[in-house]
Amino acid sequence: MSSDSSHDSGYKLLFSHAQVVEDLLRGFVPEDWVAELDFTTLEKVSGSYVSDDLRDREDDIIWRVRRQGQWLYVYVLLEFQSRVDPWMALRVMVYTGLLYQDLIKTGEVRRGQKLPPVFPLVLYNGRQRWNAARDVSELIDLLPGSLKRYHPAHRYFLLDESAVGEEHLSDRQNTVTSIIRLETSAVPADVRQAVSQLQQRLQGPQYASLRRAFVVWINRIVLRRLMPGQEVPEVNELQEIDTMLAETVEEWTRQWKADGLQQGRLQGLQEGRQEGLREGLREGLQVGIQQGLLRGERVLLQKQLERRFGALPPWVSERLAQATPEQLEAWGLDLLDAADLGALFQTG
């Protein structure tokens, strides 16, 4: 699991609310049996049903809901690893088995009764696309002849946030849609839009606890990721977050641009002096300083682009290498507002 325990605990708090679990199943599990669920019976499985082995799985949440009069257990595994776990199917099978053992041990399932169905769902928010086997049968060598009947099979459902297309994020009433949008927001305007949707969706005293969970998560994770190094004031309501963003995003943006330009000038001056000393015999100290300053601005802008958009395609380096000081300054000022690389360099 990720070392960022704040992110993990914040996510667990969100998915500890019945409305979020209902939205997860209704909006992102396209299977016929979901329509048969009685969501008024949705309840979080208490610790009395869970063994020490499962309680150690701090990022997993177990719910149950009635389907045609019988319980269906929903096992949500919150996966925050940066790398895909190739053995996830085996882990899911083990956790499901532990859950069944606990239901028997606590008397929830008695002798002569059948075990209830379990729906394992892995919620993954890493940047790398999920490519691991989704059924444990894919991890085991095929058995020959009649031994095939002993080949185990156990499948889990995957929600890979990075693979969710825009067409699946149109439901403004779905809280999981807002979670995914907040996770993937690249600019403050996107955060404001998602917060506004949550405000409209979660009105009323019955959502007070869920609103607070969103506020805590947005404050401690989303805004600090979006504005690293900035002071983010603690607020208590979604409306306060929206107001705070409206009042301070412009100031943050202006300060970020100013800091970036100042850092570029200082770095460029330092590199210019060093390069000027080396090339002073041929071109003179002034030329060296000017070239070093320009190079420093290019290096800084490239680092800012990599931090904002990730790995850069080769054509970006070519554009930076050929850019004039005026172009570099213009791109640096437009960096925060651009939706992607194409939009940024069209402005330059």
Side-chain angles (χ1 to χ4, degrees):
M1 290 293 163
S2 169
S3 60
D4 191 344
S5 58
S6 296
H7 187 285
D8 296 6
S9 59
Y11 239 57
K12 183 176 181 180
L13 184 60
L14 290 175
F15 285 91
S16 294
H17 288 80
Q19 185 61 61
V20 177
V21 176
E22 179 178 347
D23 289 346
L24 174 64
L25 295 174
R26 286 188 185 275
F28 295 91
V29 180
E31 299 187 6
D32 53 4
W33 54 266
V34 175
E36 301 172 351
L37 300 179
D38 180 4
F39 286 103
T40 63
T41 66
L42 191 64
E43 63 180 43
K44 192 169 182 289
V45 175
S46 66
S48 61
Y49 292 144
V50 183
S51 69
D52 292 338
D53 291 326
L54 286 183
R55 271 197 293 269
D56 289 341
R57 295 280 309 149
E58 295 179 354
D59 299 316
D60 297 348
I61 305 171
I62 304 173
W63 288 79
R64 67 179 185 175
V65 61
R66 289 282 186 180
R67 173 184 173 271
Q68 298 181 349
Q70 296 180 331
W71 285 118
L72 164 71
Y73 284 76
V74 180
Y75 195 144
V76 182
L77 293 90
L78 304 177
E79 189 67 9
F80 299 116
Q81 296 185 126
S82 58
R83 296 181 180 179
V84 175
D85 182 0
W87 302 108
M88 175 57 74
L90 178 60
R91 287 170 53 193
V92 170
M93 184 178 71
V94 171
Y95 300 151
T96 302
L98 289 171
L99 175 58
Y100 279 143
Q101 285 185 338
D102 292 337
L103 294 177
I104 295 171
K105 188 182 304 181
T106 58
E108 186 68 17
V109 177
R110 296 180 175 85
R111 183 184 297 273
Q113 293 181 319
K114 290 189 175 181
L115 294 166
V118 172
F119 175 63
L121 185 151
V122 174
L123 180 61
Y124 170 67
N125 72 340
R127 292 187 178 182
Q128 179 184 350
R129 287 293 181 88
W130 191 269
N131 55 9
R134 301 189 192 180
D135 195 306
V136 73
S137 63
E138 301 174 42
L139 301 177
I140 303 172
D141 283 337
L142 291 176
L143 300 172
S146 61
L147 285 175
K148 290 180 180 178
R149 74 183 70 177
Y150 304 107
H151 195 79
H154 187 268
R155 188 171 184 83
Y156 63 87
F157 182 90
L158 173 71
L159 177 55
D160 182 349
E161 291 185 1
S162 65
V164 177
E166 186 65 28
E167 67 276 10
H168 297 296
L169 297 175
S170 59
D171 185 0
R172 298 190 175 190
Q173 297 299 308
N174 191 297
T175 55
V176 178
T177 294
S178 298
I179 290 173
I180 295 176
R181 286 196 178 280
L182 286 167
E183 278 276 77
T184 57
S185 294
V187 294
D190 293 341
V191 175
R192 284 197 66 193
Q193 183 178 15
V195 169
S196 177
Q197 292 176 4
L198 285 172
Q199 282 182 261
Q200 298 175 13
R201 174 66 182 88
L202 301 179
Q203 296 181 8
Q206 69 273 27
Y207 296 120
S209 177
L210 181 53
R211 286 198 303 270
R212 179 56 187 165
F214 268 107
V215 168
V216 171
W217 180 63
I218 293 171
N219 260 314
R220 298 180 182 178
I221 304 301
V222 178
L223 295 182
R224 292 181 183 180
R225 170 185 58 80
L226 191 67
M227 295 292 180
Q230 297 289 342
E231 185 69 25
V232 180
E234 286 285 341
V235 296
N236 298 314
E237 283 290 345
L238 291 170
Q239 177 60 52
E240 296 179 41
I241 290 180
D242 185 64
T243 302
M244 180 267 294
L245 284 172
E247 294 176 349
T248 61
V249 162
E250 183 177 352
E251 179 182 348
W252 287 348
T253 302
R254 184 168 53 250
Q255 184 63 41
W256 187 27
K257 292 176 179 178
D259 291 346
L261 289 174
Q262 181 65 19
Q263 182 180 354
R265 292 190 180 101
L266 292 174
Q267 182 176 349
L269 181 60
Q270 181 180 5
E271 293 189 9
R273 287 171 176 167
Q274 294 173 352
E275 189 173 341
L277 290 174
R278 290 194 300 267
E279 300 181 3
L281 293 176
R282 292 189 297 108
E283 299 179 5
L285 179 62
Q286 184 62 36
V287 174
I289 292 176
Q290 291 176 349
Q291 290 179 346
L293 181 61
L294 182 59
R295 179 184 174 190
E297 291 180 350
R298 287 171 177 156
V299 169
L300 175 63
L301 182 56
Q302 180 168 343
K303 291 181 178 179
Q304 291 175 322
L305 290 171
E306 289 173 346
R307 181 166 185 176
R308 173 71 188 282
F309 300 108
L312 302 176
W315 63 266
V316 173
S317 298
E318 296 176 2
R319 291 291 301 273
L320 294 178
Q322 300 171 5
T324 64
E326 292 77 13
Q327 287 177 314
L328 293 174
E329 183 174 359
W331 289 334
L333 291 172
D334 294 333
L335 171 61
L336 188 62
D337 300 322
D340 51 41
L341 290 170
L344 174 65
F345 284 98
Q346 286 178 2
T347 62

